């Protein structure tokens, strides 16, 4: 009725209630909106703790996120980066990317720390090295269309965009599920697999 999307309404709530330049408060305010107003398919605080723990343990210098959506996961990743690290995030939907760009900048992250790339992942991934300067990624966070997980992992492999010992963190592989991706990861012999049990967001 308002002519605005859920994502835009969530951003207006952030503008009103969140502290600019405070990533942690940005995420808390997002959570309040999702718990009490409208559901958004963000990572959420429960699974967010798994992401935070991995960032703390590994201190990756080059991170790639597939599926920016509203920027929740991007802010979560960016706030856990070590000094000098860079995050590349890809969003296929220009409307979501427009919201995410504002959320990322509201959280205080510059383009030097977080680069948002708009376009289909299958088109962006082959250009990451040449056009965006990503030689390889230490950590990849997949949170886009589940049917694209396997295709995009194999694209990253074929373009040699995974650093030695890189971690691939993929959300929702059991539900709604990415069975082909999961089977490949478990049987191809390239990866050690671990499934983190978590509740659905919100």
């Amino acid at each position: 009725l308002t002519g605005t999307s859920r994502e835009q309404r969530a951003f207006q709530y952030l503008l009103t209630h969140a502290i600019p330049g405070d990533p942690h408060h940005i995420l808390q305010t997002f959570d309040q909106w999702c718990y009490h107003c409208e559901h958004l398919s963000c990572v959420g605080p429960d699974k967010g703790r798994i992401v935070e723990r991995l960032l703390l343990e590994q201190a990756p210098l080059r991170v790639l996120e597939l599926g920016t959506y509203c920027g929740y996961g991007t802010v979560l990743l960016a706030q856990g980066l070590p000094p000098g690290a860079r995050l590349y995030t890809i969003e296929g939907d220009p409307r979501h990317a427009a919201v995410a760009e504002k959320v990322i900048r509201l959280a205080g992250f510059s383009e030097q720390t977080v680069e948002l790339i708009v376009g289909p992942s299958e088109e962006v991934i082959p250009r990451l090295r040449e056009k965006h300067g990503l030689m390889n990624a230490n950590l990849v966070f997949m949170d886009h269309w589940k049917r694209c997980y396997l295709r995009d992992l194999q694209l990253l492999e074929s373009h040699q965009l995974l650093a030695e010992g890189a971690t691939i963190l993929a959300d929702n592989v059991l539900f709604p599920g990415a069975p082909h991706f999961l089977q490949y990861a478990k049987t191809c012999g390239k990866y050690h697999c671990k499934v983190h049990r978590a509740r659905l967001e919100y």
Side-chain angles (χ1 to χ4, degrees), residues 41 43 47 65-67 121-122 125 140-157 162 168-185 191 201:
S41 297
V43 178
K47 289 187 285 186
E65 179 186 34
L66 302 179
S121 55
E122 71 272 21
I125 289 172
V140 178
F141 181 45
M142 293 186 168
D143 194 16
H144 56 326
W145 294 107
K146 312 313 159 203
R147 65 175 182 272
C148 301
Y149 278 18
L150 177 56
R151 179 202 68 195
D152 288 351
L153 175 59
Q154 292 175 330
L155 269 176
L156 290 169
E157 291 174 348
L162 298 176
I168 314 294
L169 185 61
D171 195 15
N172 298 328
V173 292
L174 298 180
F175 181 83
H180 299 297
F181 166 85
L182 208 52
Q183 183 183 25
Y184 175 79
Y191 304 101
E201 56 277 355

Side-chain angles (χ1 to χ4, degrees), residues 98-183:
V99 173
E101 179 81 41
K102 291 184 281 192
V103 170
I104 294 163
R105 306 311 166 209
L106 183 67
F109 299 109
S110 69
E111 291 183 10
Q112 282 68 47
T113 302
V114 178
E115 181 177 351
L116 172 59
I117 305 164
V118 184
S121 55
E122 71 272 21
E123 294 178 13
V124 173
I125 289 172
R127 304 196 309 261
L128 280 173
R129 179 175 287 117
E130 186 179 316
K131 189 171 180 182
H132 301 280
L134 175 60
M135 301 310 292
N136 52 43
N138 308 110
L139 174 68
V140 178
F141 181 45
M142 293 186 168
D143 194 16
H144 56 326
W145 294 107
K146 312 313 159 203
R147 65 175 182 272
C148 301
Y149 278 18
L150 177 56
R151 179 202 68 195
D152 288 351
L153 175 59
Q154 292 175 330
L155 269 176
L156 290 169
E157 291 174 348
S158 64
H159 287 86
Q160 298 178 319
L161 287 164
L162 298 176
E164 186 176 348
T167 296
I168 314 294
L169 185 61
D171 195 15
N172 298 328
V173 292
L174 298 180
F175 181 83
H180 299 297
F181 166 85
L182 208 52
Q183 183 183 25

Side-chain angles (χ1 to χ4, degrees), residues 55 63 106 137 194:
L55 288 167
V63 178
L106 183 67
K194 180 178 180 180

